[in-house]
Amino acid sequence: MNRKIGVIGGMGPMASQLFYKMVTEKTVADRDQDHVPMMILSDPQMPDRTQAILSGKTDEVTARLLEDARTLENCGCDAIAITCNTAHYFADKIAGELRIPIIHMIRETAEETAKEAAATGNRRVAILATDGTIRTGLYQKALKAQGLEPFVPGPESQALVMHEIYDCVKAGLPYDREAWADIHRELAGHGCGRALLACTELSVIGSDNDLGDMYKDPLEVLARRVIEFSGHKVKPGR
């Protein structure tokens, strides 16, 4: 198999380039031809997903995401990957309109996290995400379906998470170490065994900094699943 993957990115652009790097680095390959064939549609003009969810005005994002997905489908892609956690709220709305599957980052992450939790015995999993993703309950539902206990940060820590996403990474600035330390203290204080970097801007922070073993990156999970779906082999290790 050598299935072609269509990637809807640009939400934000730094996360899209990180995802391509992850797939490339995690693929067992000795030559160009051993890598995953991908078409990346970067759509940075996609309206803000969190604002759409919080305002209840979701039609524009849904329609645009479907248009992007159909473009990739019509170009011969065999599956769709979306490098935005919050956008999976809209992905669930359009999946039935496509002839090809969406490789669902949230469900895949929940399943993998459950396997890890079974080994450690700690089933409490923190969700670090945008207000929009938290509001939809996407990760909460997926984690509960796997027998895990989701933990959502309190209002002060959630504001710091949004600060890291919007004021730092999306603005092209380094992450705020002091703010992250405050977030970490709350998670540790509530006994979380894992914390999901459930926003791709947080994936950028995780890639650039050693945050520790508590943190798990759904974008990395998606990269591995894309490689496997395409019919290629994933390098051992993280």
Side-chain angles (χ1 to χ4, degrees):
M1 293 188 296
N2 199 32
R3 293 171 174 160
K4 184 190 299 181
I5 307 297
V7 180
I8 302 177
M11 305 174 283
M14 288 295 291
S16 301
Q17 64 87 24
L18 175 59
F19 178 72
Y20 183 67
K21 181 173 182 283
M22 285 178 175
V23 172
T24 302
E25 291 180 344
K26 293 179 183 297
T27 303
V28 174
D30 296 318
R31 55 182 186 156
D32 292 349
Q33 291 76 16
D34 293 333
H35 284 279
V36 177
M38 288 191 288
M39 293 190 68
I40 301 175
L41 195 167
S42 182
D43 190 357
Q45 275 70 51
M46 180 77 69
D48 187 277
R49 282 68 59 201
T50 290
Q51 289 182 8
I53 291 168
L54 297 181
S55 68
K57 299 177 181 179
T58 61
D59 289 350
E60 184 180 358
V61 177
T62 302
R64 190 173 184 116
L65 195 70
L66 178 58
E67 180 183 357
D68 287 349
R70 281 178 169 160
T71 295
L72 293 169
E73 182 180 66
N74 292 334
C75 287
C77 293
D78 297 293
I80 300 291
I82 303 172
T83 59
C84 173
N85 289 268
T86 312
H88 280 69
Y89 171 78
F90 305 92
D92 289 342
K93 294 177 178 292
I94 69 170
E97 303 294 325
L98 302 172
R99 301 186 303 274
I100 59 176
I102 295 173
I103 303 174
H104 203 285
M105 177 161 54
I106 293 174
R107 289 197 290 266
E108 295 288 351
T109 298
E111 182 177 342
E112 187 172 297
T113 304
K115 293 177 182 177
E116 295 167 350
T120 65
N122 189 334
R123 309 189 73 80
R124 180 169 291 184
V125 181
I127 305 165
L128 302 182
T130 63
D131 292 346
T133 298
I134 297 296
R135 173 76 67 88
T136 65
L138 288 170
Y139 270 100
Q140 293 94 313
K141 294 172 187 175
L143 292 172
K144 287 180 180 178
Q146 294 293 331
L148 299 171
E149 179 187 348
F151 174 81
V152 175
E156 291 184 6
S157 291
Q158 181 59 28
L160 293 178
V161 172
M162 291 292 283
H163 162 67
E164 298 283 12
I165 293 168
Y166 282 91
D167 300 334
C168 298
V169 180
K170 282 188 180 293
L173 300 173
Y175 87 119
D176 185 333
R177 291 179 179 271
E178 292 185 6
W180 195 272
D182 288 341
I183 295 167
H184 182 85
R185 275 191 289 272
E186 180 178 5
L187 305 187
H190 282 83
C192 297
R194 277 290 198 187
L196 303 180
L197 301 176
C199 173
T200 48
E201 273 68 37
L202 301 181
S203 299
V204 174
I205 293 175
S207 176
D208 292 343
N209 303 274
D210 183 9
L211 299 178
D213 292 337
M214 176 189 289
Y215 296 93
K216 183 176 184 64
D217 187 358
L219 197 63
E220 287 191 358
V221 177
L222 181 63
R224 291 194 292 271
R225 296 299 175 271
V226 159
I227 295 166
E228 292 167 347
F229 184 93
S230 184
H232 294 256
K233 293 182 178 180
V234 180
K235 289 180 181 177
R238 289 190 64 185

